[in-house]
Amino acid sequence: MDEINVRLDRHRRWLSQSVGLTAQELGYIDEDLASDSLSGLNNVADSLGMLATYYGIRGEVAVSDGEASGWEDVSSSIMYRYWALMLKAKTFSKTSFLQGIKTVPNLTNQLSIAGCLLAGLIVADRRDLATSVADVLAGMLTINGAVDSSYLEQRRFEPFMLWLYSVYSQGETLSEIKSMDLGIYQNVIDKWTDEQGLAHALEELCQYHLTHAEDRGGAWDPEFKYAPFDLLPVEIHAIFQVRQQLGLTVPAVSSPLLSAETAALEHLVIISDQLAVRVETAYERFFGL
């Protein structure tokens, strides 16, 4: 539990230093929504990312302190990350034709968030939102220029989440995944029908999560560095959820990650709050959906 407690202490300090952040970002969102422009919506996505971090951290701390209301903050955080991703993806699709003419931000920085979002939505069984995220994630893996190629070829977690989604949705597995090196996640696929072997593979994934929940510098971009996914074992519980759905046994797995209060993901209910509804309305109006 040491890694978790250290991270929670850092979160508490960060919260104490972030007074006024929400009011500031909400003010920015008001201005950017009023602009009714593509650049304004892109700015909204950035503000949603900041708010997602704030509410994700606040929710994790509250849940760890035994306050059930913390799950509402976690829900808000996940919804803000969802709409930030949708806005970034749509902005990229509307401007990607400019690549080679001017610098166009791609979706590299959104890749790990998309993987974590997909896991969380599977856990909460939000199939409607999971479908949208899976579509975006598939595009990230297959559309030229969506993600930096040198970055993409190193990734393991995000392609695995698309494999898991294909099992969850009982759809086709993206053909590109079959030739990808999934690293430690390949063990889950290989041991899917071996309960004892799968339990060991999942214990390894828990440890991997704990060691990749913080950006310590270096070349590797940690998959779980963004709250609330740093302390929520969404990918492990997504595997549990899919196996339960299929009528398969869920192996017993021992890990500090699964013993923490933030692992009680049966309390995770993902619903839209007032801000998420405002952003959804603006998204549909601007893009004509």
Side-chain angles (χ1 to χ4, degrees), residues 89 92-94 96-97 99 106-108 111 134-149 152 162 174 176 180:
F92 173 77
S93 71
K94 294 294 186 182
S96 59
F97 70 94
Q99 288 183 332
N106 65 14
L107 300 174
T108 300
L111 187 63
D135 287 345
V136 170
L137 187 52
M140 289 177 171
L141 297 186
T142 58
I143 296 174
N144 186 39
V147 174
D148 294 343
S149 58
L152 183 59
L162 273 182
L174 194 68
E176 286 82 355
M180 288 182 172

Side-chain angles (χ1 to χ4, degrees), residues 263-280:
L265 293 181
E266 64 273 13
H267 299 300
L268 178 61
V269 179
I270 301 175
I271 56 176
S272 294
D273 62 10
Q274 187 175 6
L275 176 58
V277 171
R278 282 184 65 201
V279 173
E280 180 179 10

Side-chain angles (χ1 to χ4, degrees), residues 160 177 180-191:
F160 167 77
I177 294 176
M180 288 182 172
D181 175 9
L182 300 184
I184 193 171
Y185 294 95
Q186 185 64 46
N187 294 337
V188 174
I189 300 174
D190 293 343
K191 301 297 183 181

